[in-house]
Amino acid sequence: MHAMQYEFTLPADYGMDVVRTRVARTGHLLDDWPGLGAKAYLMRERGVHGSPVNQYAPFYLWRTVAGMNSFLWDGAFQRPTDDFGRPAVRQWTGRAYEEGGAGDSPARAAVRRRRPLPEGVPLAEAAAEAVRETALLAAGNGVVLAAAVVDTGRWELAHFSLHADEAPDEVDGDGEVFQVLHVSAPERARLRRGRQW
């Protein structure tokens, strides 16, 4: 499993209904994309759930690298690039994935938590802890799915979760809350659960 996200930070007075309309019009285009586990069409709106910015920030869990590369290089990624400019695309390697107890519910919110992996902690220990944390997160009330991913260029661990509620209970200031506008999940059922190595 691989994760990917890019962010388009928009002006403070930007009408976010433009993003909602765009996703309503085009979100279905990835509903059957080969190799895609799940794409959450995410938005943060200035002043909502503590967001300081207006932002469109889709998050992807790829089942295959081929599916990710096809998306980036065969034309689909050109559409948002043409509309908003070419963003930096963050990529993470999968550490763990779990379905939540609300796995059959539509996702209404997403939470992304990021933290550096501390120096001096053995990598195997840090990876095992990420697996445990993902299982605990997935067991939370209203959780649709949870994943742990790592960026080895920055040695940064990220936990990503989808929630059936608009304002998840467990957000405690260290996570960013996004509104979920749509989820494309053609191969979600084929994402391997548990640790990814």
Side-chain angles (χ1 to χ4, degrees):
M1 179 184 72
H2 300 272
M4 183 178 91
Q5 186 174 37
Y6 46 89
E7 301 171 341
F8 298 105
T9 301
L10 304 164
D13 61 350
Y14 191 85
M16 294 305 284
D17 282 341
V18 172
V19 174
R20 289 182 182 92
T21 300
R22 183 182 191 285
V23 171
R25 188 181 72 247
T26 64
H28 71 281
L29 296 175
L30 294 188
D31 285 354
D32 59 358
W33 195 272
L36 177 61
K39 174 184 179 178
Y41 294 76
L42 305 181
M43 180 180 87
R44 291 200 299 163
E45 198 163 7
R46 191 169 183 252
V48 177
H49 300 303
S51 177
V53 296
N54 286 329
Q55 195 172 67
Y56 176 52
F59 190 95
Y60 303 74
L61 291 173
W62 292 100
R63 195 181 67 77
T64 69
V65 174
M68 179 176 68
N69 285 337
S70 177
F71 172 80
L72 287 170
W73 301 106
D74 285 343
F77 183 59
Q78 193 64 48
R79 284 188 300 272
T81 297
D82 288 345
D83 291 347
F84 299 109
R86 187 186 301 166
V89 179
R90 296 282 313 270
Q91 294 183 30
W92 296 267
T93 302
R95 296 292 87 206
Y97 174 80
E98 294 292 348
E99 287 285 316
D104 292 333
S105 301
R108 301 180 74 198
V111 178
R112 180 186 67 190
R113 290 182 176 84
R114 297 179 289 183
R115 70 172 189 259
L117 289 170
E119 289 283 341
V121 174
L123 295 176
E125 183 180 315
E129 180 61 22
V131 172
R132 284 190 293 274
E133 289 173 347
T134 304
L136 287 172
L137 180 57
N141 187 37
V143 176
V144 175
L145 64 80
V149 294
V150 67
D151 175 345
T152 55
R154 298 181 186 195
W155 292 108
E156 175 187 77
L157 176 70
H159 275 98
F160 176 78
S161 52
L162 292 179
H163 301 261
D165 300 319
E166 285 184 22
D169 293 338
E170 77 285 349
V171 178
D172 53 10
D174 69 341
E176 297 158 298
V177 179
F178 297 84
Q179 298 169 52
V180 177
L181 303 178
H182 179 71
V183 176
S184 293
E187 297 186 17
R188 178 177 155 195
R190 297 177 65 191
L191 288 172
R192 191 174 78 194
R193 294 175 75 163
R195 61 182 264 174
Q196 300 292 303
W197 72 99

